[in-house]
């Protein structure tokens, strides 16, 4: 695939708190607009050349509705001739935006595209669009009862035989690696400080979601997060969510509720953007890219188990690039839940030393539509820091899908 990344930027991820989160007072269009504005500043490209602005955002309602992409580029003061559209592939939306941008330029149809993502979960938390997992389609629900992600994560942990200690150890690792990365400034290249649109006051300059004082003891003391959810009688005949999960996977015997706030991705606000260019555009403007998008993929997987797609998506992208898992220097597997990463690592026989080396969404938070584009920058920054070549970014999504992209430094 001939598609190149000129640069990737992101906001810090802010702990989501209605009215109180560091980024909760900004309109989400403004949050993205500030992110977009960084790209021409850093690369020197003329935004009038842009063929499109593609933005992932999951809860497309109210302030996040009205085609956020187009409004954000207008808010950025960019020319009215630039089009923009918003997409939703749940948690994979930000990486899906990159895939579309890469496909657009690789096909020769487009030459310069911004791929971004944003989610302000302080205002719009999980399922804020009211659609639930299946839009309330009772006919579909008879065939696939799609339990919420937390139940899926606990079901995966049960089926894979992961222990609470293993999940907690992964949660602790995420916090420790994120703390080290922050202390060593490993996120600095992608990050920019978000400011108040009127006063210019810095609202947030670094990720404020991590809990660096996390210990194994504190994690072990946390109550599992999804016990009550699992006991909710939401089935057509009053079955609980746990019973519905077990109906699809009777061999689990019982859903062991193991994930806690310390081993689940955090609810956060944030935005990211990636500038993608064709080879012709680079040549015509004498620009040097940071990386090439070698391959992208999207797959569907079991809609009940829901979160086991990343290994399948990664294999598909690796096959397209003619690579094997062992060829990848750095993996960014979105930490939706600890079990998701552990299951992906087991399925692909990955070495922990190469996976989420600067922590992930458990420590840093997961602003749903933004995370995919944020992880692109995280992976590139670390490849450059280490002088390595290949990264693979993958995210599971609600409804049993996953997306992946193979990135190569140039
Ligand atoms: C798991 C989940 C329900 C937890 O929500 P929550 O209980 O509101 O979690 P919080 O992060 O506010 O933590 C609650 C408390 O747990 C404790 N805690 C959380 N993380 C901790 C850690 N790493 N170490 C020690 N204590 C911790 C704290 O006491 C915290 O309270 P405080 O903020 O007042 O200090 C929520 O984060 C969630 O739904 N995550 C998944 C999101 C998701 O599904 N995304 C899509 C993925 S596919």
């Amino acid at each position: 695939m001939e598609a190149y990344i000129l640069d990737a930027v992101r906001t810090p991820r802010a702990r989501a708190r209605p009215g109180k989160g560091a980024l909760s007072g900004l309109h989400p269009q403004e949050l993205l607009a500030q992110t977009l504005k960084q790209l021409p500043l850093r690369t020197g490209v003329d935004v009038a050349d842009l063929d499109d602005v593609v933005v992932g955002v999951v809860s497309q309602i109210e302030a996040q509705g009205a085609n956020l992409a187009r409004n954000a580029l207008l808010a950025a003061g960019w020319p009215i001739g630039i089009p923009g559209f918003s997409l939703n592939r749940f948690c994979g939306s930000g990486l899906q935006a990159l895939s579309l941008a890469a496909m657009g330029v690789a096909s020769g149809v487009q030459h310069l595209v911004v791929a971004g993502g944003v989610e302000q979960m302080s205002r719009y938390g999980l399922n804020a669009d009211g659609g639930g997992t299946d839009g309330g389609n009772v006919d579909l629900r008879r065939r696939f009862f799609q339990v919420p992600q937390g139940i899926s994560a606990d079901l995966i942990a049960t089926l894979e035989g992961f222990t609470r200690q293993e999940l907690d150890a992964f949660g602790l690792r995420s916090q420790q690696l994120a703390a080290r990365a922050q202390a060593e400034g490993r996120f600095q290249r992608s990050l920019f400080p978000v400011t108040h649109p009127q006063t210019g006051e810095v609202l947030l300059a670094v990720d404020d979601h991590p809990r660096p004082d996390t210990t194994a003891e504190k994690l072990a003391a946390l109550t599992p997060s999804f016990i009550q959810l699992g006991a909710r009688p939401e089935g057509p005949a009053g079955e609980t969510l746990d019973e519905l999960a077990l109906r699809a996977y009777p061999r689990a015997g019982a859903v062991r509720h193991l994930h806690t706030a310390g081993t689940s991705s955090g609810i956060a606000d944030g935005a990211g953007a990636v500038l993608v260019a064709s080879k012709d555009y680079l040549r015509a403007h004498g620009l040097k890219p940071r990386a090439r998008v070698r391959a992208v993929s999207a797959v569907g997987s079991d809609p009940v188990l829901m979160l086991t797609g990343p290994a399948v998506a990664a294999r598909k992208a690796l096959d397209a690039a003619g690579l094997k898992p062992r060829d990848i220097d750095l993996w960014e597997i979105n930490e939706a839940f600890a079990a998701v990463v552990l299951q992906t690592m087991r399925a692909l026989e990955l070495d922990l030393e190469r996976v989420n080396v600067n922590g992930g969404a458990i420590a840093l938070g997961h602003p749903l539509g933004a995370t995919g584009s944020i992880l692109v920058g995280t992976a590139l920054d670390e490849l450059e820091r280490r002088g390595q070549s290949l990264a693979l970014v993958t995210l599971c999504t609600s409804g049993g899908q996953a997306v992946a992209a193979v990135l190569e430094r140039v």
Side-chain angles (χ1 to χ4, degrees), residues 91-108:
C91 302
S93 300
L95 197 68
Q96 184 58 45
L98 176 82
S99 293
L100 276 181
M103 289 189 263
V105 304
S107 71

Side-chain angles (χ1 to χ4, degrees), residues 5 17 57 72 120 133 147 179 186 238 254 274 279-281 303 309 320 375:
I5 294 177
R17 282 167 298 194
V57 51
Q120 194 180 51
T133 52
V147 295
R186 294 191 187 186
V274 183
K279 200 171 197 171
D280 287 349
Y281 189 87
L375 291 182

Side-chain angles (χ1 to χ4, degrees), residues 16 30 35 44 93 119 184 218 228 230 271 307 364 372:
E30 296 296 333
T35 315
S93 300
E119 204 82 34
E184 294 181 1
K218 284 183 186 168
Q228 285 173 347
L307 307 174
L364 292 153

Side-chain angles (χ1 to χ4, degrees), residues 15-17 90-91 121 126 148-150 171-172 175 209-215 217-219 222-226 259-267 306-307 334-337 340 362-363 366 368 396-398:
R15 188 173 291 269
R17 282 167 298 194
F90 294 113
C91 302
M121 298 183 80
L126 293 172
Q149 287 99 312
L172 182 60
Q175 297 286 352
H209 192 278
R211 296 175 186 267
D213 58 348
T214 300
T215 61
E217 294 69 35
K218 284 183 186 168
L219 287 175
L222 293 175
T223 310
S225 294
F226 304 110
H259 286 90
T260 67
T263 49
S264 307
S265 53
I267 312 293
M306 198 177 295
L307 307 174
N334 186 37
E335 294 178 0
F337 299 92
V340 171
I362 289 174
H366 175 25
L368 308 179
C396 59
T397 92
S398 177

Side-chain angles (χ1 to χ4, degrees), residues 36-199:
L36 296 178
K37 283 196 240 181
Q38 291 293 315
L39 290 172
L41 284 179
R42 292 174 179 222
T43 59
V45 299
D46 182 353
V47 292
D49 293 340
L50 280 167
D51 292 303
D52 216 343
V53 175
V54 189
V55 173
V57 51
V58 174
S59 293
Q60 298 193 25
I61 55 166
E62 300 174 358
Q64 289 189 169
N67 188 3
L68 193 155
R70 167 71 175 172
N71 280 302
L73 77 88
L74 293 178
W78 287 4
I80 57 171
I82 304 172
F85 73 98
S86 310
L87 65 84
N88 177 13
R89 203 195 282 279
F90 294 113
C91 302
S93 300
L95 197 68
Q96 184 58 45
L98 176 82
S99 293
L100 276 181
M103 289 189 263
V105 304
S107 71
V109 172
Q110 298 176 318
H111 291 288
L112 190 67
V113 180
V114 170
V118 63
E119 204 82 34
Q120 194 180 51
M121 298 183 80
S122 287
R123 294 190 203 203
Y124 308 112
L126 293 172
N127 302 320
D129 69 3
T133 52
D134 58 13
N137 179 349
V138 289
D139 293 320
L140 172 63
R141 201 171 279 187
R142 270 187 221 108
R143 284 188 284 151
F144 294 113
F145 196 105
Q146 301 173 56
V147 295
Q149 287 99 312
I151 305 298
S152 296
D154 283 337
L155 180 60
I156 291 168
T158 305
L159 291 168
E160 294 283 332
F162 298 139
T163 63
R164 169 74 188 260
Q165 289 75 14
E166 283 174 293
L167 301 184
D168 282 357
F170 189 82
L172 182 60
R173 173 187 188 266
S174 182
Q175 297 286 352
Q176 290 173 338
L177 294 181
R180 182 184 69 182
Q182 286 192 311
E184 294 181 1
R186 294 191 187 186
F187 298 136
Q188 284 314 309
R189 173 146 191 196
S190 292
L191 271 177
F192 74 94
V194 175
T195 55
H196 190 285
Q198 277 86 47
T199 64

